[in-house]
Amino acid sequence: MADFVGAVDQGTTSTRFMIFDRSGAEVARGQVEHRQILPRSGWVEHDPIELYENTRKTMEAALASAGLTASDLATIGITNQRESVVLWERATGRPLHNVIGWQDTRTAELVTSIGHAAEIREITGLPPATYFSATKIRWLLDQDPSLRVRAARGEILAGTVDTWLLWNLTGGDVFATDVTNASRTQLMSLETLTWDPRLLALFGIPAEMLPEIRSSSAHFGTATNGVPIEAVIGDQQAALFGQTCFDPGDAKATYGTGNFILLNTGGTPVRSTHGLLTTVAYRNGDEPPVYALEGSIAATGAAIQWLRDQAGFFDDAAQSETLAGSVEDSGGVVFVPAFSGLFAPYWRPDARGAILGLSRFHTAAHITRAALEAICYQTRDVVDAMALDAGTPLSKLRVDGGITANALCMQLQADILGVPVIRPAVAETTALGAAYAAGLTAGFWASTDELRANWRESRRWQTTWPADRRDQGHTRWKAAVERTFGLGDI
Ligand SMILES: Nc1ncnc2c1ncn2[C@@H]1O[C@H](COP(=O)(O)OP(=O)(O)O)[C@@H](O)[C@H]1O
Ligand SMILES: O=P(O)(O)OC[C@H](O)CO
């Protein structure tokens, strides 16, 4: 068997291809950012062709940088930004529209008019929100009445980004998704793990346009370069897998464009009463599915990106650390980056971003520090909700993702949470999780126990703030959050 496993990680801001060895260590990577297409306030799109081309390019770049060829890969897994939707023609493979991204809020009115909140939540574990795929597909179908007719004939296909990449990587051979991605469409029943006819009728989406749902670790087909594709798993679930959170009670937080905190709840879907989502964590082959509670935060790194691209405070996200570190604190400034409304635990589509508490004294450094604090306070909101749902507080938090390179932010996180924050040796746990899931199918790794043995701690941040400072900061944060409600135009 070949010595390496590859993973496509198609994220919100960039696409990576990563190659790992048997110990789970990174051997090579290719990475490229793609365009954020922002045609109107609240709309977020990506070019599907660009995403596929970047997938191929980064795969070739990673293989070349390691002096390897496709035949050195035993298998590959695909992991992806979830919920975002593509429609394309079966006959030509031509996309009909840009990808509508998970952060896109254009369907706010549709969400309200469709209603049936309790039923949707009961079947899917998700509250009605613009975040999920169902209303995005509905919106696309509503643009042209002939599309629904063609979709019902199976001529127009709808998929999340995994399905789009799988279709293209296999030369149009495989039209499938996995349970984790399907669980974020708001069209799949959490219990039966199939498309739910009541929801399809409610959202007006023909079943004929949707892919087959498979386990996350499963045979998905063969890429045109000859490598088997043996896992498809949504990026946040992949990070849980890569962090080897295989036992109920294990949790991780991934820091990227948004933050996503997942808690493994074992074989039973646990219903949240504190604003969290119930979702499928993963399913290995024919084993029963494993479920998770999830706190999804729409904008964390997005605030750093906004300071970089829109406000022009710095040229590179990493410089946020030096700038924020040049002041002792935020000087009372609070930045609530509610660009797409607020997700967990608030679910307020009517919220919009605000920077509060400014005087002439404040500088770019204070605002940047407030942006880092916002990442940490939003995470605390979710961790608090999780403790209430699970009945026990977390004793530590395993972290990963782009922002964990920012040591100041991770120190603030330990201070604001009051528990240690621990980063593993491989911070790219999303790609690693997809590689692990594929490697299990291929028999490259024998069991989840073998994967667990690969996990290594690289750095730990301990709390330095006294509890009253932490709580006062959090109270001020929550007061600022309330001020952002109703600022959106819906
Ligand atoms: N050193 C850093 N400090 C603060 N934010 C960062 C840093 N590096 C990256 N980011 C932010 O993290 C996000 C990218 O992280 P990544 O894990 O690649 O995200 P995604 O998977 O969402 O594309 C961007 O929003 C960027 O602004
Ligand atoms: O691509 P990321 O890392 O920003 O993750 C996006 C999430 O999957 C959205 O639910």
Side-chain angles (χ1 to χ4, degrees):
M1 180 179 279
D3 291 329
F4 305 100
V5 174
V8 173
D9 176 3
Q10 200 307 295
T12 311
T13 54
S14 72
T15 305
R16 300 177 180 82
F17 187 84
M18 302 204 46
I19 302 174
F20 299 97
D21 66 14
R22 206 167 284 277
S23 72
E26 176 181 337
V27 173
R29 76 166 78 183
Q31 178 168 2
V32 56
E33 286 203 14
H34 53 266
R35 278 179 309 141
Q36 303 295 317
I37 304 168
L38 310 168
R40 295 192 202 175
S41 177
W43 292 29
V44 183
E45 300 182 355
H46 299 144
D47 174 355
I49 304 274
E50 186 184 5
L51 300 188
Y52 173 60
E53 282 175 355
N54 287 354
T55 302
R56 292 233 70 119
K57 267 189 226 160
T58 53
M59 194 183 304
E60 281 155 24
L63 285 167
S65 77
L68 300 174
T69 64
S71 61
D72 292 307
L73 300 177
T75 183
I76 57 178
I78 298 176
T79 183
N80 57 289
Q81 54 168 319
R82 307 164 303 166
E83 298 97 13
S84 307
V85 158
V86 198
L87 252 57
W88 69 97
E89 266 181 352
R90 185 191 285 274
T92 61
R94 189 176 62 85
L96 299 178
H97 195 277
N98 278 335
V99 177
I100 300 192
W102 58 273
Q103 301 154 296
D104 192 295
T105 57
R106 78 185 66 186
T107 60
E109 278 176 19
L110 254 180
V111 170
T112 313
S113 67
I114 287 170
H116 290 80
E119 188 183 357
I120 292 173
R121 191 191 283 268
E122 176 57 32
I123 301 171
T124 65
L126 312 170
T130 58
Y131 179 25
F132 308 107
S133 318
T135 56
K136 299 180 199 294
I137 300 174
R138 164 66 179 267
W139 186 91
L140 285 164
L141 290 176
D142 284 350
Q143 299 316 296
D144 173 355
S146 71
L147 284 182
R148 187 170 276 105
V149 177
R150 295 180 65 203
R153 293 202 295 252
E155 294 168 12
I156 303 288
L157 306 179
T160 39
V161 171
D162 55 307
T163 303
W164 166 248
L165 295 182
L166 182 65
W167 172 269
N168 282 287
L169 285 168
T170 60
D173 201 30
V174 182
F175 183 49
T177 188
D178 88 300
V179 276
T180 65
N181 277 291
S183 81
R184 316 298 294 204
T185 58
Q186 207 154 48
L187 296 170
M188 189 191 83
S189 155
L190 267 188
E191 308 283 345
T192 65
L193 307 184
T194 58
W195 303 122
D196 189 284
R198 292 161 295 177
L199 296 173
L200 297 180
L202 189 61
F203 287 104
I205 295 173
E208 293 75 10
M209 75 185 306
L210 297 176
E212 176 194 335
I213 304 173
R214 302 186 187 170
S215 289
S216 24
S217 284
H219 296 284
F220 278 88
T222 304
T224 48
N225 64 6
V227 186
I229 301 171
E230 289 174 302
V232 168
I233 181 165
D235 58 8
Q236 301 309 323
Q237 286 88 340
L240 189 77
F241 211 90
Q243 287 270 23
T244 68
C245 292
F246 298 130
D247 290 326
D250 287 349
K252 69 86 202 182
T254 301
Y255 295 68
T257 308
N259 269 26
F260 300 88
I261 300 105
L262 271 78
L263 171 74
N264 181 324
T265 61
T268 329
V270 173
R271 304 288 170 168
S272 172
T273 49
H274 297 91
L276 304 179
L277 310 177
T278 308
T279 201
V280 180
Y282 55 89
R283 184 174 187 194
N284 293 336
D286 294 331
E287 291 172 19
V290 172
Y291 293 89
L293 272 175
E294 172 174 327
S296 327
I297 303 166
T300 54
I304 303 299
Q305 247 180 319
W306 186 84
L307 291 177
R308 183 192 69 181
D309 300 339
Q310 262 84 353
F313 280 10
F314 36 79
D315 301 322
D316 186 320
Q319 292 165 341
S320 63
E321 182 168 358
T322 332
L323 186 58
S326 69
V327 289
E328 293 239 316
D329 53 38
S330 68
V333 173
V334 184
F335 184 173
V336 185
F339 301 144
S340 305
L342 287 166
F343 288 6
Y346 302 100
W347 300 107
R348 293 289 303 231
D350 61 327
R352 283 298 177 273
I355 301 173
L356 298 106
L358 289 172
S359 70
R360 288 188 65 178
F361 161 75
H362 293 112
T363 63
H366 295 103
I367 294 172
T368 304
R369 195 165 178 117
L372 295 183
E373 288 180 359
I375 296 171
C376 303
Y377 281 120
Q378 292 194 94
T379 304
R380 166 139 182 207
D381 286 338
V382 163
V383 167
D384 285 359
M386 218 161 240
L388 293 168
D389 273 335
T392 42
L394 287 182
S395 57
K396 60 182 185 324
L397 187 66
R398 285 187 176 187
V399 300
D400 55 74
I403 304 173
T404 62
N406 188 319
L408 172 61
C409 188
M410 292 301 101
Q411 182 58 54
L412 284 167
Q413 187 66 84
D415 289 335
I416 285 167
L417 277 180
V419 298
V421 166
I422 303 164
R423 191 179 65 196
V426 179
E428 296 293 346
T429 49
T430 299
L432 181 62
Y436 277 171
L440 280 180
T441 315
F444 186 86
W445 288 290
S447 66
T448 49
D449 285 341
E450 189 181 342
L451 302 179
R452 223 186 244 114
N454 279 347
W455 193 91
R456 298 266 177 286
E457 178 174 329
S458 86
R459 188 147 178 206
R460 177 180 291 245
W461 289 269
Q462 300 286 356
T463 303
T464 60
W465 287 6
D468 58 343
R469 178 165 178 198
R470 178 162 48 249
D471 293 338
Q472 275 161 20
H474 194 213
T475 303
R476 189 174 169 82
W477 160 258
K478 285 204 281 201
V481 164
E482 289 205 5
R483 304 259 175 102
T484 69
F485 296 167
L487 292 179
D489 55 2
I490 63 157

